[in-house]
Amino acid sequence: MAVLAGGETNPDVSLLYDINGIAKGAPNWADRVMEFLGEYGILFGLAVLMLCAWWSVRKSKDAPAGTAALLWSPLAAGIALLINVPIRGFVRRPRPFLDHQGLEVLVKGKTDFSFVSDHATLTMALGVGLFVANRKYGLIGIGLALLEGFCRVYMGVHYPTDVVGGLALGTAVTLLLAPLAMMLLTPLTRWVAGTRCGWLVRAGDAPAPIVPTATVGDAGGAGHELRVQDRDLAA
């Protein structure tokens, strides 16, 4: 355990040294792989995952709602990053390698503040947003976000609590604002579905949308039949 000046232990710093210590004993090629994943690779993987999810939700019964949920994912990530700007300015926590000696820093030139991790915030917001649209791809996305958090500590550029804060921020923004976002985005995607650009929302071989219908019975009484849309966006 890392010991502070007053003799108290700091589990955050201890975990930082434990995870970053793996980099010291790892071969150079492994560090380069982790560096690439932590900086660009996982973000690229999430982008590919979103394309796959988009291709899938276009074939669902309620494709406009699924596409709206998928569209919310990058928007939520952008909003979470904007919210993080004042958080970083308020907390003003230096990067761990500025306050602690002996860390293996895989990425040089990081001079901005450490809390909250932008990478963890961005990837978790994308992952949770994917989960709202499609559970299968969303679980993979959340897994990639957790890996991103590990990579940032492994690289020596963030404390574990920086990552936890980023994961929490990305999750909170995406889920708390999702109802409002869906209320605004779903009518937009339904409108697009009826235009020449409808292929962006619904595949040509997608099941026909289920719309409410009503039938009136004989004079002895009225019979009503209502069919509702499939509400499971995670097709």
Side-chain angles (χ1 to χ4, degrees):
M1 297 284 286
V3 181
L4 302 179
E8 298 180 355
T9 58
N10 188 332
D12 191 24
V13 177
S14 295
L15 188 56
L16 165 67
Y17 275 106
D18 289 341
I19 296 176
N20 181 255
I22 302 174
K24 290 186 175 182
N28 183 67
W29 65 265
D31 286 347
R32 300 288 74 81
V33 169
M34 293 294 285
E35 177 186 347
F36 172 76
L37 288 175
E39 284 290 290
Y40 313 106
I42 292 176
L43 290 174
F44 177 77
L46 282 167
V48 172
L49 204 61
M50 289 191 65
L51 286 175
C52 294
W54 168 71
W55 192 262
S56 177
V57 299
R58 287 171 63 246
K59 301 178 181 179
S60 63
K61 290 181 179 179
D62 195 7
T67 306
L70 193 60
L71 182 60
W72 167 235
S73 181
L75 293 176
I79 293 173
L81 289 177
L82 288 176
I83 293 176
N84 192 29
V85 173
I87 293 177
R88 280 193 164 197
F90 177 77
V91 178
R92 302 178 66 87
R93 187 184 202 182
R95 294 280 181 169
F97 54 81
L98 297 178
D99 288 341
H100 304 283
Q101 302 298 320
L103 292 174
E104 185 76 12
V105 183
L106 302 186
V107 180
K108 308 297 181 181
K110 299 286 185 180
T111 58
D112 55 341
F113 294 120
S114 184
F115 186 91
V116 175
S117 168
D118 276 337
H119 279 75
T121 301
L122 173 62
T123 54
M124 184 54 86
L126 291 174
V128 174
L130 272 170
F131 185 81
V132 173
N134 186 291
R135 292 173 190 166
K136 178 179 68 175
Y137 290 109
L139 288 174
I140 299 174
I142 291 173
L144 288 176
L146 295 175
L147 177 59
E148 176 70 34
F150 178 83
C151 288
R152 302 306 289 178
V153 180
Y154 181 98
M155 293 159 59
V157 295
H158 279 294
Y159 294 95
T161 48
D162 298 338
V163 169
V164 172
L167 298 177
L169 177 60
T171 300
V173 170
T174 304
L175 293 182
L176 291 177
L177 298 181
L180 175 61
M182 292 298 295
M183 183 178 68
L184 297 175
L185 293 175
T186 301
L188 174 62
T189 54
R190 293 196 190 283
W191 174 80
V192 173
T195 68
R196 293 181 179 180
C197 297
W199 62 272
L200 291 170
V201 175
R202 183 187 299 281
D205 58 348
I210 301 174
V211 296
T213 61
T215 60
V216 179
D218 55 18
H224 297 279
E225 177 185 355
L226 182 64
R227 299 194 306 170
V228 297
Q229 295 176 350
D230 186 349
R231 293 181 176 83
D232 186 9
L233 301 182

